[in-house]
Amino acid sequence: MHKPILLGVNVDHVATIRQARGSSYPDPVHAALQAELAGADGITMHLREDRRHIQDSDVERYAACAQTKLNFEMAATDEMIALALKTKPVDVCIVPESREELTTEGGLNVINAENNLTITCKEFNQNNIRVSLFIDPDNAQIDATVRTGATVIEIHTGSYAEAKTLEAQQHELEKITSAAAYAAKQGLIVNAGHGLTRHNVAAIAAIPQIHELNIGHSLIADALFEGLPTAVRTMKAIMQQARAAAS
Ligand code: PXP
């Protein structure tokens, strides 16, 4: 029996469309509930410091009616830590954040921020909030993650997704495969995400240690043409088939 693979749906870009006009629609909470009905195993919302897409009220409204689980993506700032402790999501995923970036551009440098992250993880662990650190596929970052007390990593798949040649993509895939095996050996739960689409997801879903994939942009783009439930079901089916074929 192969280990199941879970799909976390990131609904940030439903909010991006709403914020572009300052309208009341489309509602990312509506999208979250539709995604859950179509088989999403969790919902991610990234509340950015500049509130460019998800708003505080979106997080509050979804947390109040979640049928699966909220993965609250955030920078490790005092403001976000306080909001997460108030909201009490099942998971927080800590990411680096800069105002200038279009999207999260790289993994956290856990080695540089180890002391602060250790304090943050302790606070979340004491409140039964599971902490995931978003990192590049790098064993030194994995070792530092273990030292912080975080129990989950999310491996940044952006370099894999953006690779320009098949060779470069294969090289990135090997890095992710080996980091996933190393992290699982250290006792971490291994998630992955960023830049995944229905065309590139299979090889990542086939990595046996990966527990959950967090996918947003391509799913919301596919939803424009075929609706969110079909987009979610199709993505999950591709992931599950890849996992089954690999075992
Ligand atoms: N995981 C993390 C930590 C992210 O920052 C993002 C982007 O918000 C994703 C997953 C999803 O990436 P994408 O929108 O490219 O699917």
Side-chain angles (χ1 to χ4, degrees):
M1 246 317 257
H2 56 270
K3 234 179 76 181
I5 181 153
L6 306 183
L7 171 61
V9 172
N10 178 318
V11 295
D12 293 353
H13 296 302
V14 177
T16 300
I17 296 171
R18 179 190 62 192
Q19 297 310 113
R21 281 291 180 93
S23 52
S24 59
Y25 64 87
D27 182 359
V29 178
H30 182 169
L33 300 179
Q34 259 210 340
E36 286 181 336
L37 283 176
D41 300 288
I43 300 296
T44 299
M45 291 182 166
H46 183 181
L47 187 64
R48 296 185 73 104
E49 187 195 5
D50 62 9
R51 306 304 197 267
R52 69 173 70 159
H53 38 54
I54 293 292
Q55 305 297 302
D56 300 50
S57 58
D58 297 326
V59 179
E60 281 162 27
R61 286 185 303 119
Y62 175 65
C65 64
Q67 299 298 305
T68 57
K69 67 180 174 78
L70 170 61
N71 175 33
F72 182 64
E73 190 179 323
M74 51 171 267
T77 61
D78 290 346
E79 182 198 19
M80 290 302 155
I81 293 168
L83 275 168
L85 289 170
K86 193 175 99 188
T87 310
K88 289 203 180 295
V90 172
D91 291 314
V92 295
C93 178
I94 300 183
V95 297
E97 194 175 297
S98 87
R99 273 178 181 265
E100 295 74 34
E101 67 191 2
L102 282 179
T103 179
T104 314
E105 281 172 355
L108 271 178
N109 191 333
V110 185
I111 298 165
N112 277 1
E114 193 175 315
N115 289 346
N116 283 343
L117 286 170
T118 302
I119 294 167
T120 305
C121 288
K122 190 171 173 199
E123 196 160 18
F124 282 137
N125 288 340
Q126 283 169 345
N127 283 275
N128 294 319
I129 298 170
R130 192 164 58 169
V131 186
S132 167
L133 302 186
F134 185 54
I135 59 173
D136 292 323
D138 178 296
N139 288 1
Q141 296 293 347
I142 292 168
D143 289 338
T145 298
V146 171
R147 293 193 296 271
T148 64
T151 54
V152 186
I153 56 166
E154 182 170 327
I155 299 178
H156 193 322
T157 52
S159 301
Y160 162 82
E162 284 151 29
K164 296 280 178 279
T165 64
L166 275 179
E167 290 75 22
Q169 193 183 47
Q170 188 57 32
H171 177 66
E172 294 301 330
L173 179 62
E174 281 161 17
K175 286 205 290 195
I176 295 166
T177 304
S178 124
Y182 182 75
K185 231 182 189 171
Q186 312 312 309
L188 294 168
I189 295 170
V190 184
N191 298 338
H194 208 284
L196 297 177
T197 70
R198 59 175 63 173
H199 305 294
N200 66 18
V201 75
I204 300 291
I207 299 171
Q209 295 85 2
I210 291 187
H211 173 70
E212 178 177 290
L213 296 179
N214 288 311
I215 307 181
H217 189 264
S218 74
L219 270 178
I220 303 307
D222 291 341
L224 283 177
F225 300 103
E226 59 191 23
L228 189 57
T230 301
V232 169
R233 275 190 213 106
T234 303
M235 184 65 81
K236 198 159 171 192
I238 294 169
M239 287 165 49
Q240 288 175 328
Q241 279 159 19
R243 175 59 60 90
S247 44

Tab-separated table of all heavy atoms in Angstrom, residues 10 12-13 44 46 48 53 71 73 93-95 103-104 134 154 192-196 214-219, ligand 1:
chain	number	residue	atom	x	y	z
A	10	ASN	N	-4.123	26.523	-2.325
A	10	ASN	CA	-3.843	27.907	-1.940
A	10	ASN	C	-4.815	28.822	-2.709
A	10	ASN	O	-4.848	28.801	-3.946
A	10	ASN	CB	-2.377	28.214	-2.302
A	10	ASN	CG	-2.000	29.645	-1.998
A	10	ASN	OD1	-2.765	30.563	-2.261
A	10	ASN	ND2	-0.803	29.845	-1.472
A	12	ASP	N	-5.007	32.188	-2.474
A	12	ASP	CA	-4.575	33.596	-2.501
A	12	ASP	C	-5.027	34.326	-3.770
A	12	ASP	O	-5.399	35.496	-3.728
A	12	ASP	CB	-3.044	33.695	-2.449
A	12	ASP	CG	-2.463	33.241	-1.127
A	12	ASP	OD1	-3.215	32.968	-0.185
A	12	ASP	OD2	-1.218	33.150	-1.046
A	13	HIS	N	-4.933	33.615	-4.909
A	13	HIS	CA	-5.147	34.334	-6.167
A	13	HIS	C	-6.617	34.553	-6.502
A	13	HIS	O	-6.935	35.321	-7.415
A	13	HIS	CB	-4.363	33.676	-7.295
A	13	HIS	CG	-2.888	33.791	-7.016
A	13	HIS	ND1	-2.280	35.018	-6.835
A	13	HIS	CD2	-1.940	32.867	-6.782
A	13	HIS	CE1	-0.999	34.828	-6.541
A	13	HIS	NE2	-0.770	33.534	-6.490
A	44	THR	N	-4.662	26.716	2.036
A	44	THR	CA	-3.605	27.652	2.437
A	44	THR	C	-4.038	29.079	2.138
A	44	THR	O	-4.587	29.355	1.058
A	44	THR	CB	-2.297	27.364	1.674
A	44	THR	OG1	-1.868	26.039	1.981
A	44	THR	CG2	-1.199	28.337	2.061
A	46	HIS	N	-2.092	32.890	2.513
A	46	HIS	CA	-0.884	33.635	2.879
A	46	HIS	C	-1.298	35.073	3.167
A	46	HIS	O	-1.679	35.810	2.250
A	46	HIS	CB	0.114	33.570	1.713
A	46	HIS	CG	1.422	34.251	2.002
A	46	HIS	ND1	2.431	34.311	1.073
A	46	HIS	CD2	1.898	34.903	3.101
A	46	HIS	CE1	3.470	34.962	1.585
A	46	HIS	NE2	3.159	35.337	2.806
A	48	ARG	N	-0.124	38.393	3.706
A	48	ARG	CA	1.128	39.144	3.546
A	48	ARG	C	1.062	40.447	4.316
A	48	ARG	O	-0.016	41.002	4.526
A	48	ARG	CB	1.383	39.413	2.053
A	48	ARG	CG	1.593	38.146	1.243
A	48	ARG	CD	1.952	38.489	-0.194
A	48	ARG	NE	3.295	38.993	-0.291
A	48	ARG	CZ	4.341	38.298	-0.745
A	48	ARG	NH1	4.175	37.072	-1.197
A	48	ARG	NH2	5.526	38.831	-0.783
A	53	HIS	N	-3.336	40.365	-1.198
A	53	HIS	CA	-4.453	39.495	-1.629
A	53	HIS	C	-5.335	39.107	-0.447
A	53	HIS	O	-6.387	39.709	-0.254
A	53	HIS	CB	-3.980	38.307	-2.488
A	53	HIS	CG	-2.686	37.640	-2.111
A	53	HIS	ND1	-2.444	37.167	-0.852
A	53	HIS	CD2	-1.581	37.346	-2.852
A	53	HIS	CE1	-1.254	36.601	-0.812
A	53	HIS	NE2	-0.682	36.711	-2.008
A	71	ASN	N	-3.939	26.054	6.616
A	71	ASN	CA	-2.490	26.222	6.662
A	71	ASN	C	-2.252	27.722	6.516
A	71	ASN	O	-2.460	28.285	5.443
A	71	ASN	CB	-1.859	25.425	5.512
A	71	ASN	CG	-0.366	25.642	5.407
A	71	ASN	OD1	0.318	25.838	6.401
A	71	ASN	ND2	0.139	25.601	4.185
A	73	GLU	N	-0.089	30.691	6.025
A	73	GLU	CA	1.265	30.989	5.554
A	73	GLU	C	1.619	32.413	5.962
A	73	GLU	O	0.816	33.333	5.768
A	73	GLU	CB	1.284	30.822	4.033
A	73	GLU	CG	2.666	30.875	3.441
A	73	GLU	CD	2.634	30.672	1.931
A	73	GLU	OE1	1.813	29.870	1.431
A	73	GLU	OE2	3.417	31.349	1.258
A	93	CYS	N	2.836	27.897	8.073
A	93	CYS	CA	4.008	27.698	7.219
A	93	CYS	C	4.749	29.027	7.193
A	93	CYS	O	4.203	30.050	6.759
A	93	CYS	CB	3.581	27.285	5.814
A	93	CYS	SG	4.994	27.084	4.720
A	94	ILE	N	5.973	29.009	7.696
A	94	ILE	CA	6.740	30.254	7.765
A	94	ILE	C	7.574	30.411	6.502
A	94	ILE	O	8.297	29.494	6.079
A	94	ILE	CB	7.623	30.268	9.028
A	94	ILE	CG1	6.708	30.146	10.264
A	94	ILE	CG2	8.469	31.529	9.088
A	94	ILE	CD1	7.430	30.205	11.589
A	95	VAL	N	7.410	31.566	5.872
A	95	VAL	CA	8.086	31.856	4.603
A	95	VAL	C	8.847	33.173	4.716
A	95	VAL	O	8.505	34.018	5.549
A	95	VAL	CB	7.058	31.971	3.441
A	95	VAL	CG1	6.324	30.669	3.229
A	95	VAL	CG2	6.062	33.103	3.672
A	103	THR	N	6.063	36.905	-5.910
A	103	THR	CA	5.617	35.771	-5.110
A	103	THR	C	6.803	35.347	-4.250
A	103	THR	O	7.880	35.918	-4.376
A	103	THR	CB	5.123	34.626	-6.028
A	103	THR	OG1	4.707	33.511	-5.213
A	103	THR	CG2	6.206	34.140	-6.975
A	104	THR	N	6.597	34.356	-3.376
A	104	THR	CA	7.692	33.922	-2.507
A	104	THR	C	8.839	33.415	-3.372
A	104	THR	O	8.673	32.473	-4.136
A	104	THR	CB	7.191	32.802	-1.559
A	104	THR	OG1	5.939	33.211	-1.015
A	104	THR	CG2	8.175	32.555	-0.449
A	134	PHE	N	9.418	26.726	5.180
A	134	PHE	CA	9.517	26.639	3.714
A	134	PHE	C	10.983	26.814	3.337
A	134	PHE	O	11.544	27.915	3.510
A	134	PHE	CB	8.666	27.765	3.122
A	134	PHE	CG	8.557	27.763	1.626
A	134	PHE	CD1	8.140	26.633	0.931
A	134	PHE	CD2	8.827	28.921	0.897
A	134	PHE	CE1	8.003	26.650	-0.451
A	134	PHE	CE2	8.688	28.951	-0.481
A	134	PHE	CZ	8.276	27.808	-1.154
A	154	GLU	N	8.380	22.426	4.156
A	154	GLU	CA	7.815	22.461	2.812
A	154	GLU	C	8.986	22.759	1.886
A	154	GLU	O	9.648	23.798	2.030
A	154	GLU	CB	6.724	23.529	2.697
A	154	GLU	CG	6.110	23.528	1.290
A	154	GLU	CD	4.863	24.383	1.161
A	154	GLU	OE1	4.088	24.494	2.138
A	154	GLU	OE2	4.677	24.935	0.059
A	192	ALA	N	5.696	19.916	-0.022
A	192	ALA	CA	6.407	20.627	-1.094
A	192	ALA	C	5.421	21.527	-1.829
A	192	ALA	O	4.206	21.327	-1.752
A	192	ALA	CB	7.045	19.622	-2.065
A	193	GLY	N	5.963	22.509	-2.517
A	193	GLY	CA	5.087	23.363	-3.306
A	193	GLY	C	5.804	24.552	-3.885
A	193	GLY	O	6.925	24.884	-3.496
A	194	HIS	N	5.148	25.172	-4.815
A	194	HIS	CA	5.498	26.395	-5.525
A	194	HIS	C	5.729	26.093	-6.999
A	194	HIS	O	6.599	25.311	-7.350
A	194	HIS	CB	6.731	27.111	-4.952
A	194	HIS	CG	6.658	28.592	-5.224
A	194	HIS	ND1	6.925	29.127	-6.451
A	194	HIS	CD2	6.295	29.611	-4.429
A	194	HIS	CE1	6.738	30.430	-6.396
A	194	HIS	NE2	6.352	30.751	-5.191
A	195	GLY	N	4.907	26.707	-7.824
A	195	GLY	CA	5.070	26.582	-9.274
A	195	GLY	C	4.600	25.254	-9.837
A	195	GLY	O	4.855	24.964	-11.006
A	196	LEU	N	3.898	24.458	-9.039
A	196	LEU	CA	3.463	23.153	-9.558
A	196	LEU	C	2.204	23.318	-10.410
A	196	LEU	O	1.316	24.125	-10.092
A	196	LEU	CB	3.222	22.177	-8.401
A	196	LEU	CG	4.483	21.857	-7.588
A	196	LEU	CD1	4.155	20.929	-6.414
A	196	LEU	CD2	5.582	21.247	-8.465
A	214	ASN	N	1.282	21.799	-1.812
A	214	ASN	CA	0.484	23.022	-1.742
A	214	ASN	C	0.548	23.738	-3.081
A	214	ASN	O	1.629	24.103	-3.548
A	214	ASN	CB	1.000	23.916	-0.606
A	214	ASN	CG	0.631	23.319	0.736
A	214	ASN	OD1	-0.524	22.960	0.944
A	214	ASN	ND2	1.595	23.172	1.612
A	215	ILE	N	-0.629	23.888	-3.677
A	215	ILE	CA	-0.691	24.395	-5.056
A	215	ILE	C	-1.752	25.494	-5.142
A	215	ILE	O	-2.857	25.337	-4.621
A	215	ILE	CB	-1.025	23.238	-6.032
A	215	ILE	CG1	-0.039	22.077	-5.833
A	215	ILE	CG2	-1.014	23.733	-7.483
A	215	ILE	CD1	-0.263	20.891	-6.749
A	216	GLY	N	-1.387	26.597	-5.806
A	216	GLY	CA	-2.310	27.714	-5.903
A	216	GLY	C	-2.488	28.253	-7.309
A	216	GLY	O	-3.513	28.037	-7.960
A	217	HIS	N	-1.459	28.927	-7.803
A	217	HIS	CA	-1.599	29.743	-9.010
A	217	HIS	C	-2.155	28.956	-10.195
A	217	HIS	O	-3.106	29.385	-10.856
A	217	HIS	CB	-0.228	30.369	-9.346
A	217	HIS	CG	-0.272	31.379	-10.429
A	217	HIS	ND1	0.019	31.071	-11.739
A	217	HIS	CD2	-0.587	32.694	-10.405
A	217	HIS	CE1	-0.104	32.165	-12.470
A	217	HIS	NE2	-0.465	33.165	-11.686
A	218	SER	N	-1.575	27.792	-10.482
A	218	SER	CA	-2.018	27.046	-11.672
A	218	SER	C	-3.437	26.514	-11.503
A	218	SER	O	-4.199	26.429	-12.479
A	218	SER	CB	-1.052	25.902	-12.000
A	218	SER	OG	-1.207	24.847	-11.073
A	219	LEU	N	-3.794	26.176	-10.259
A	219	LEU	CA	-5.158	25.662	-10.026
A	219	LEU	C	-6.203	26.756	-10.265
A	219	LEU	O	-7.255	26.501	-10.859
A	219	LEU	CB	-5.282	25.193	-8.569
A	219	LEU	CG	-4.951	23.748	-8.252
A	219	LEU	CD1	-5.097	23.510	-6.756
A	219	LEU	CD2	-5.863	22.811	-9.026
B	1	PXP	N1	3.881	27.033	-0.875
B	1	PXP	C1	4.356	28.228	-0.476
B	1	PXP	C2	5.129	28.281	0.795
B	1	PXP	C3	4.108	29.398	-1.222
B	1	PXP	O1	4.603	30.572	-0.822
B	1	PXP	C4	3.314	29.300	-2.381
B	1	PXP	C5	2.992	30.549	-3.147
B	1	PXP	O2	2.180	31.369	-2.395
B	1	PXP	C6	2.823	28.043	-2.744
B	1	PXP	C7	3.146	26.924	-1.994
B	1	PXP	C8	1.955	27.865	-3.931
B	1	PXP	O3	2.652	28.226	-5.073
B	1	PXP	P1	1.873	28.384	-6.438
B	1	PXP	O4	0.885	29.481	-6.250
B	1	PXP	O5	2.963	28.695	-7.417
B	1	PXP	O6	1.200	27.051	-6.694
